[in-house]
Amino acid sequence: GKNGVPVAENFRLEQSTIPDTVQEGQVRVRTLYLSVDPYMRCRMNEDTGLDYLLPWQLSEVADGGGIGVVEESKNNNFAKGDYVTSFNWPWQTVAILDGSLLQKLVPQLVNGCLSYFLGAAGITGLTALLGIREKGHVTVGANQTMVVSGAAGACGSLAGQIGRLEGCSRVVGIAGTDEKCSILVSEMGFDAAINYKKENVAEQLRKLCPGGVDVYFDNVGGDISDTVISQMNQNSHIILCGQISQYNKDVPYPPPLPPDTEKIQKERNITRERFLVLNYMDKQEASVLQLCQWIQEGKLKV
């Protein structure tokens, strides 16, 4: 359908046998890691609303970001024992895949933590880094304040840290539990964090961002985003990363702002452009190396 919250009954587990033979150009892989991400909720609608993302088909194997090890290869680019990744990895323990869909991984780049290539050194980290660089307009020494919603999530927790590394002087996160808020401040280097379930977000933003908000890394949309936008400065920037609060609803992407919020956005000349990391794949290699360097130096905590 088009609306509704995914439930366990939407899935089933099957046991089946894969072919014995690997064809020319293929590799047999054993799955090590799968990434389960909010955007996948879009793939449970018959229309994802996104031209670059196809819906999962009924009774077909689900897929997403994954990492595995090559067990047999008939592809010149891969040998047995290589670690590989794909954005369309099937959710199965063993698979035969077309080698042209795979990328080889170098474990040393992430201190041996392979799963980081699905997170901090993968699409998640790229989304945070390129979102800030392409849409955040962060300038070193400009005394900018960044607010991150969904700040304790995979992308938000990196975005706050990267905002600081790129030059923001103050970073404030919004999350849903006291524990998450505590971790953001004590471990991730945020200056402050707001528990939106217990605190008045508007009041806390006024207190924690006395100079207003210059950059908003938006992961959630909805009421929280309306509240943040109401406190954004003239010529400030929204990085439109995700709209988690809207994913189970049949609305266009990006969802339109309420009239009052849209009025503020236009009057203050706040940029709010659709951001899609896949449009910047020419910068992928250099950006992944930057993320890996920060991880190795301990500047980016995962």
Side-chain angles (χ1 to χ4, degrees), residues 26-150:
Q26 294 181 326
V27 295
R28 189 178 77 237
V29 293
R30 179 166 49 84
T31 301
L32 299 175
Y33 298 100
L34 296 171
S35 187
V36 183
D37 302 290
Y39 80 85
M40 289 175 166
R41 283 190 270 181
C42 304
R43 302 193 67 187
M44 296 197 70
N45 296 337
E46 57 188 36
D47 176 9
T48 63
L50 304 168
D51 48 14
Y52 59 91
L53 206 58
L54 296 173
W56 282 329
Q57 299 301 306
L58 289 175
S59 296
E60 297 278 320
V61 179
D63 68 335
I67 290 172
V69 60
V70 175
E71 295 190 325
E72 183 184 348
S73 175
K74 287 195 176 174
N75 184 296
N76 293 333
N77 295 322
F78 304 104
K80 184 178 179 180
D82 283 348
Y83 295 104
V84 291
T85 186
S86 169
F87 195 60
N88 298 107
W89 196 283
W91 286 10
Q92 53 194 71
T93 53
V94 178
I96 294 176
L97 302 176
D98 183 340
S100 65
L101 304 176
L102 301 172
Q103 282 182 292
K104 192 184 293 187
L105 298 175
V106 182
Q108 294 88 334
L109 287 175
V110 287
N111 302 326
C113 298
L114 274 172
S115 65
Y116 287 9
F117 284 116
L118 293 181
I123 286 286
T124 316
L126 285 171
T127 300
L129 176 59
L130 290 169
I132 288 166
R133 286 185 172 175
E134 299 296 329
K135 300 293 185 184
H137 304 276
V138 174
T139 306
V140 176
N143 198 31
Q144 290 164 297
T145 294
M146 173 185 278
V147 170
V148 183
S149 58

Side-chain angles (χ1 to χ4, degrees), residues 196-250:
Y196 72 89
K197 291 183 179 176
K198 292 172 73 172
E199 298 176 279
N200 183 306
V201 176
E203 284 180 10
Q204 289 299 310
L205 282 173
R206 278 191 289 273
K207 188 169 88 175
L208 298 171
C209 308
V213 178
D214 301 294
V215 185
Y216 173 39
F217 199 99
D218 184 6
N219 283 308
V220 303
D223 294 343
I224 285 177
S225 290
D226 296 340
T227 302
V228 175
I229 292 168
S230 72
Q231 299 195 32
M232 293 186 74
N233 292 325
Q234 195 75 24
N235 302 319
S236 53
H237 304 282
I238 298 168
I239 302 165
L240 196 58
C241 176
Q243 301 282 279
I244 292 173
S245 68
Q246 310 296 306
Y247 281 173
N248 294 327
K249 301 174 184 176
D250 183 20

Side-chain angles (χ1 to χ4, degrees), residues 157-217:
S157 62
L158 297 169
Q161 296 178 77
I162 291 169
R164 169 87 74 213
L165 289 166
E166 290 288 286
C168 285
S169 60
R170 186 161 184 78
V171 179
V172 175
I174 302 174
T177 70
D178 289 341
E179 183 186 14
K180 288 177 181 179
C181 291
S182 172
I183 288 169
L184 288 174
V185 175
S186 64
E187 296 183 30
M188 301 292 180
F190 285 63
D191 292 284
I194 301 166
N195 182 343
Y196 72 89
K197 291 183 179 176
K198 292 172 73 172
E199 298 176 279
N200 183 306
V201 176
E203 284 180 10
Q204 289 299 310
L205 282 173
R206 278 191 289 273
K207 188 169 88 175
L208 298 171
C209 308
V213 178
D214 301 294
V215 185
Y216 173 39
F217 199 99

Side-chain angles (χ1 to χ4, degrees), residues 248-269:
N248 294 327
K249 301 174 184 176
D250 183 20
V251 294
Y253 188 88
L257 295 170
D260 288 351
T261 306
E262 187 177 23
K263 186 166 181 274
I264 291 170
Q265 183 211 340
K266 287 180 176 172
E267 286 175 350
R268 297 182 193 170
N269 193 34

